[in-house]
Amino acid sequence: DAGGAVRDSLPILVESYCYRVHDYPSATAFLAEDGPGGADCLVLDLHMPEMDGLELVGELHRLRRRMPTIMVTGRKDDLLAQRARKAEVLALLHKPVAAGELIGWIERALEQRPAAG
């Protein structure tokens, strides 16, 4: 399916820019594997199995695990954009996303990481 192809290709793209990537099949898998503890940035799709992207961001906020988040969607919707801003999503990108645009937002997200130590 097209969603699976995108999910398979994005990690390869991001790794080609020398970033370390952890890929999860769903939001619940991400939460179960304590992904939020080690992630510097989160790139996720709005539409995912079991829990959508905004629900995941809400759950991370509830757990007090905030991280710069980039959301990708096929929907162009003003209400969705408002909800993403309210959830403090750094960027809401529309498919198809250009490689340079995605990498540029990842670089911005990583600049927002808290300083170590």
Side-chain angles (χ1 to χ4, degrees):
D1 73 82
V6 170
R7 192 173 74 83
D8 291 342
S9 64
L10 279 181
I12 294 166
L13 167 69
V14 175
E15 286 174 338
S16 76
Y17 284 82
C18 299
Y19 292 111
R20 189 168 36 111
V21 174
H22 294 279
D23 183 27
Y24 299 90
S26 68
T28 52
F30 173 72
L31 292 169
E33 294 181 32
D34 199 29
D40 292 322
C41 164
L42 186 61
V43 178
L44 54 89
D45 201 308
L46 173 65
H47 297 289
M48 298 184 294
E50 302 160 7
M51 179 185 297
D52 76 24
L54 287 172
E55 290 169 331
L56 173 58
V57 171
E59 181 65 9
L60 291 171
H61 288 189
R62 189 186 71 73
L63 295 169
R64 300 192 188 286
R65 294 179 168 170
R66 294 178 184 250
M67 68 192 73
T69 301
I70 300 161
M71 190 172 302
V72 178
T73 182
R75 287 179 45 197
K76 290 191 179 183
D77 175 334
D78 289 340
L79 181 58
L80 173 60
Q82 290 173 0
R83 290 177 58 212
R85 276 192 302 276
K86 185 175 179 182
E88 301 175 8
V89 170
L90 179 63
L92 180 64
L93 306 180
H94 296 94
K95 296 176 190 173
V97 179
E101 181 181 21
L102 177 62
I103 297 303
W105 279 108
I106 289 172
E107 289 170 354
R108 286 183 193 103
L110 295 176
E111 289 170 2
Q112 294 189 9
R113 290 180 295 190

